[in-house]
Amino acid sequence: MSMQAPSREDTARALDRIRVGKARHGRSWLRLLWLLVGPGILVMLGENDGPSMLSYSATGSQFGLGFFLPFVLFTFLLAFIAQEITVRLGAVSKAGHAELIYRRFGRFWGNFAMIDLLFTNVLTLITEFVAVVAGASYFGISKYIAVLVALIVVVLALSSRRYWSWERITMGLALMNLVFVPVAFMAHPDWHSVGRAFLTWSPLPNGGFNQNTIMILLSDIGATITPWMLFFQQGAVSDKGLAIRDIKMGRIDTGIGALLAALAAAACIIATSPLFTHHMNANQFGAAQFAQALAPYVGRMGATLFAVGILEAGLVAIVAISTSSAYAFGEVTQKAHSLNRSFREAKGFYTVLFIVAAISGGVVLIPGFPLEFVVLIVNILAVLTMPPAIGFLLLLVNDKEIMGEHRSGWFLNTMGISVGAFVSLAGLFYALTVIFPNLHL
Amino acid sequence: MSTSTSELMYSLQQGRMHLEELHERPELVQETLKEHHEAIQKIEGLGLRSFSPLLKITIWGLRVYVLFMVVVVLYNVLQHV
């Protein structure tokens, strides 16, 4: 009896697995690493998005070289701890994050998690288009053309109908996030101060931890840890077809991503620190104004690279965040949801992916829409919706029926609970400074 | 473990394999994705997990936390407008 022809999704995934098998069998570890990296690098560099880079710019320009440089590295360590869990969950269960939440906790709690995700995703996507428009405006490109080109990039990335090709295209684009590194050098910072900041976490912010400092602190946490990252990486790991024995490489992938993203974030703070040194008030700056204001200190080329970096940050995040929404939609509705499927096979998946991006892009074009309002709250909202997301994450990874021997041990659980506690406490400090504005911590 | 066996088995294939060629080999696809399909079957067979009272209090607590924080953010934004 002849077997039924496999689906395109299965064939593509099997081809990727055979390549991995060959590399492993031939002990070509570099080739194996090349084949297995992707979700971790993408999620970390994808999270260095428009509002995140804006948050780092505000940090550098308002506080200079000090406490926030090592703090940002610390937030990426927290992100690594959370994202490592999604690697194990995806590789063991081969299911997405939304699917596992619905299956194990039911529709009631699943709907809450989805509302959090879609609410923060749509708001974040709007700010990504704001970043693209702001970056493009530096080059005199109209906002209509900028939004249109961003949507074309999304379609082009999807047109390969292969997870592998989509991942490589998006990863290539994401690596451009490192453009902030040369800008940091062009700013000619005092490297002694940079080194001292990393070693001593000082100087502390001027005026102590008041409301403004806590907002920046929370915004920088939100720039590295958000709910969409959990849904995206677990979805990407299962779509890529990572097996249990690939978990180690998945961790390395996530570690490389965290290091690269931390490097770009620190570079952005260093690049904008001359604005602090020269006492420029950057409180109300948008992305384009940062690039223009930096020109006297980093030169024309530096300012141009800075604008390119902001534009790229928004563009990559548009692709990654709309994909995370589409993965979650497909998992919840139990419809086909793989980048290895053609448009005909996964109409709902691709339609949701594109429509979420198009609506968010359209909002940016509405005259008088309070974009500053959205940019202001998006990172903060992302942090504040994290505690329940981390709660579900820890419950899932400790679920014996799902994870078996791969569930977290005491050490990983301690780390995971610490991340949840830290994020929750940061939110509470923020609430205290809002309710009692004169409070100094 | 099934994956290691299948990967080892098909790693012996010589030359570059293409999508169209693999599409004609359903048994190869099935064997390679054995771990994947078994995991999906296992997950599909799972029911709802039971909630202990402590767990219920914790997740309700986290939900109330989010709702409270959304109100705080709105209040903060209104202060700045």
Side-chain angles (χ1 to χ4, degrees):
Chain A
M1 193 175 71
S2 64
M3 291 180 87
Q4 201 183 0
S7 67
R8 191 178 194 285
E9 179 183 351
D10 275 354
T11 313
R13 193 171 289 131
L15 183 63
D16 292 344
R17 295 311 308 164
I18 288 170
R19 284 176 183 159
V20 168
K22 280 185 177 176
R24 185 169 277 130
H25 183 66
R27 297 183 182 280
S28 319
W29 301 118
L30 275 178
R31 165 102 178 129
L32 189 63
L33 183 67
W34 165 246
L35 290 171
L36 291 175
V37 296
I41 292 179
L42 268 182
V43 79
M44 292 292 185
L45 288 178
E47 179 50 7
N48 264 5
D49 57 356
S52 298
M53 300 324 285
L54 203 56
S55 177
Y56 297 136
S57 304
T59 305
S61 60
Q62 289 184 41
F63 298 100
L65 306 171
F67 167 83
F68 280 102
L69 269 179
F71 180 75
V72 163
L73 285 195
F74 172 69
T75 60
F76 277 101
L77 175 68
L78 302 183
F80 173 80
I81 293 168
Q83 295 306 127
E84 185 274 340
I85 297 175
T86 66
V87 174
R88 270 184 293 141
L89 275 169
V92 174
S93 70
K94 312 285 190 276
H97 200 59
E99 183 180 352
L100 287 186
I101 290 175
Y102 271 81
R103 280 198 188 281
R104 295 303 275 158
F105 302 103
R107 195 148 282 279
F108 180 75
W109 291 108
N111 287 343
F112 269 127
M114 284 306 291
I115 290 168
D116 286 351
L117 177 76
L118 289 179
F119 178 57
T120 50
N121 270 13
V122 169
L123 286 183
T124 312
L125 268 174
I126 293 171
T127 62
E128 307 307 349
F129 278 100
V130 172
V132 168
V133 166
S137 74
Y138 180 83
F139 301 102
I141 300 168
S142 110
K143 61 181 181 180
Y144 298 98
I145 294 174
V147 169
L148 186 68
V149 169
L151 290 174
I152 290 171
V153 169
V154 173
V155 173
L156 284 178
L158 295 172
S159 59
S160 63
R161 299 180 300 145
R162 279 278 273 128
Y163 172 85
W164 169 260
S165 313
W166 172 88
E167 183 189 82
R168 298 296 126 162
I169 293 168
T170 316
M171 205 157 65
L173 208 57
L175 285 171
M176 281 176 65
N177 194 234
L178 296 172
V179 79
F180 288 98
V181 176
V183 186
F185 280 96
M186 289 173 188
H188 303 293
D190 174 6
W191 291 108
H192 177 73
S193 300
V194 173
R196 194 183 58 175
F198 276 116
L199 291 174
T200 63
W201 292 59
S202 63
L204 290 172
N206 261 342
F209 286 90
N210 54 24
Q211 191 181 354
N212 179 46
T213 315
I214 293 283
M215 272 187 79
I216 290 279
L217 194 92
L218 215 66
S219 186
D220 283 347
I221 300 171
T224 46
I225 310 173
T226 60
W228 77 262
M229 294 169 75
L230 308 177
F231 289 83
F232 173 81
Q233 193 169 2
Q234 191 173 329
V237 162
S238 60
D239 203 4
K240 190 176 171 73
L242 252 63
I244 289 171
R245 64 186 313 198
D246 301 326
I247 288 175
K248 190 178 165 192
M249 281 296 183
R251 283 177 176 144
I252 293 173
D253 170 37
T254 311
I256 294 172
L259 279 176
L260 291 177
L263 182 67
C268 185
I269 293 177
I270 294 170
T272 49
S273 63
L275 300 178
F276 171 76
T277 315
H278 293 88
H279 309 292
M280 286 194 70
N281 183 5
N283 271 342
Q284 304 298 323
F285 272 16
Q289 287 108 312
F290 272 115
Q292 282 151 1
L294 278 173
Y297 312 110
V298 298
R300 191 88 195 139
M301 173 61 87
T304 303
L305 287 177
F306 190 91
V308 168
I310 295 288
L311 199 155
E312 174 276 342
L315 207 54
V316 172
I318 289 167
V319 177
I321 296 172
S322 23
T323 308
S324 92
S325 304
Y327 273 140
F329 169 81
E331 290 162 19
V332 170
T333 56
Q334 299 193 332
K335 297 261 169 64
H337 51 277
S338 170
L339 290 162
N340 280 323
R341 296 225 181 202
S342 65
F343 178 76
R344 193 174 293 176
E345 289 174 316
K347 271 185 196 149
F349 174 73
Y350 286 111
T351 306
V352 166
L353 200 158
F354 186 75
I355 283 182
V356 169
I359 289 175
S360 309
V363 166
V364 177
L365 302 178
I366 299 172
F369 192 85
L371 295 174
E372 289 79 11
F373 167 90
V374 182
V375 172
L376 184 74
I377 63 165
V378 75
N379 274 355
I380 293 171
L381 274 174
V383 181
L384 300 178
T385 50
M386 266 314 269
I390 291 181
F392 282 131
L393 187 71
L394 291 173
L395 288 170
L396 287 173
V397 81
N398 283 291
D399 192 326
K400 198 177 175 183
E401 288 187 64
I402 297 173
M403 297 300 288
E405 61 182 296
H406 299 284
R407 60 191 191 280
S408 291
W410 70 268
F411 177 72
L412 289 177
N413 273 331
T414 307
M415 302 292 275
I417 291 168
S418 304
V419 173
F422 177 80
V423 172
S424 308
L425 283 175
L428 285 175
F429 279 131
Y430 163 73
L432 280 174
T433 58
V434 171
I435 298 165
F436 307 105
N438 296 322
L439 188 71
H440 284 260
L441 298 164
Chain B
M1 198 158 58
S2 58
T3 304
S4 58
T5 316
S6 62
E7 282 181 0
L8 188 66
M9 185 178 159
Y10 295 115
S11 69
L12 298 175
Q13 300 268 342
Q14 293 301 306
R16 202 181 172 88
M17 187 164 254
H18 295 284
L19 209 59
E20 297 74 26
E21 190 188 334
L22 192 60
H23 191 71
E24 304 301 320
R25 307 274 306 274
E27 76 293 343
L28 188 55
V29 171
Q30 199 173 53
E31 176 61 26
T32 308
L33 296 180
K34 200 173 166 187
E35 178 192 322
H36 198 90
H37 291 145
E38 281 173 359
I40 289 172
Q41 267 185 342
K42 184 182 144 188
I43 295 299
E44 282 174 353
L46 289 179
L48 290 177
R49 63 169 288 166
S50 57
F51 291 101
S52 68
L54 182 66
L55 188 59
K56 265 188 188 166
I57 291 169
T58 307
I59 51 178
W60 268 114
L62 290 172
R63 182 50 47 194
V64 171
Y65 172 96
V66 170
L67 294 175
F68 170 69
M69 287 302 176
V70 168
V71 173
V72 171
V73 170
L74 288 176
Y75 175 67
N76 192 13
V77 169
L78 288 175
Q79 277 181 324
H80 282 87
V81 172

